[in-house]
Amino acid sequence: MEKRLYGAWITIAKMHKSLAVNKLQLQTKKQYLKFSSILKGQIKNMQMLSGSIEALKTSTICLPVVNGAKADFHEVGNAFGSAVDVMQAMGASICCVLPKVEGRSSMVSELSELAVKEPAVTASCSLVHTENYFESGETM
């Protein structure tokens, strides 16, 4: 009888472990998909920002200059106005993205902490489960 109980306990423990591994794999895949989605969004934002930076460089480097290194104030004003418009667009874009990035950053930090703690917690639970089993077996 005791061998059967022990065998059943071993089988249940293996099934429990398999279920826990499957849950962990599923959770990991979900987190990977979420992370990939965030990363794709950030790449799009970086590309947009890169384009804005190039536009800003172009508008500030190519200042219109006429005869004898004299600047046409109207054209210079237009160039600076364009540069300011680009910078304002960049600022608005960054302001929209910043809260999302900060939120994701804290989620990644929490996930990292959980990943570090997970093996110790699993080992502790396994030990408690084993101790409880043997304690209950002794009282039978």
Side-chain angles (χ1 to χ4, degrees), residues 4-64:
R4 285 184 182 169
L5 285 174
Y6 182 73
W9 179 77
I10 293 293
T11 303
I12 290 170
K14 286 179 183 178
M15 290 172 62
H16 180 70
K17 181 180 178 183
S18 175
L19 179 64
V21 167
N22 287 340
K23 279 183 176 180
L24 186 59
Q25 287 175 342
L26 179 63
Q27 185 178 12
T28 301
K29 287 179 182 180
K30 284 180 180 178
Q31 291 295 332
Y32 176 77
L33 289 174
K34 191 182 290 186
F35 181 71
S36 294
S37 171
I38 293 167
L39 191 58
K40 285 178 185 177
Q42 293 306 313
I43 289 172
K44 287 179 185 177
N45 290 333
M46 293 289 285
Q47 290 170 341
M48 184 176 73
L49 188 58
S50 177
S52 299
I53 290 171
E54 288 304 315
L56 185 58
K57 282 181 183 178
T58 302
S59 67
T60 56
I61 291 174
C62 299
L63 293 176

Side-chain angles (χ1 to χ4, degrees), residues 113-131:
E113 290 173 14
L114 288 174
V116 169
K117 293 177 183 177
E118 189 268 337
V121 171
T122 302
S124 175
C125 288
S126 178
L127 181 63
V128 168
H129 182 69
T130 303
E131 289 173 352

Side-chain angles (χ1 to χ4, degrees), residues 41-42 44-46 48 90-104:
Q42 293 306 313
K44 287 179 185 177
N45 290 333
M46 293 289 285
M48 184 176 73
M90 287 172 47
S93 175
I94 290 170
C95 287
C96 290
V97 171
L98 188 60
K100 293 178 185 176
V101 171
E102 289 172 344
R104 301 298 186 223

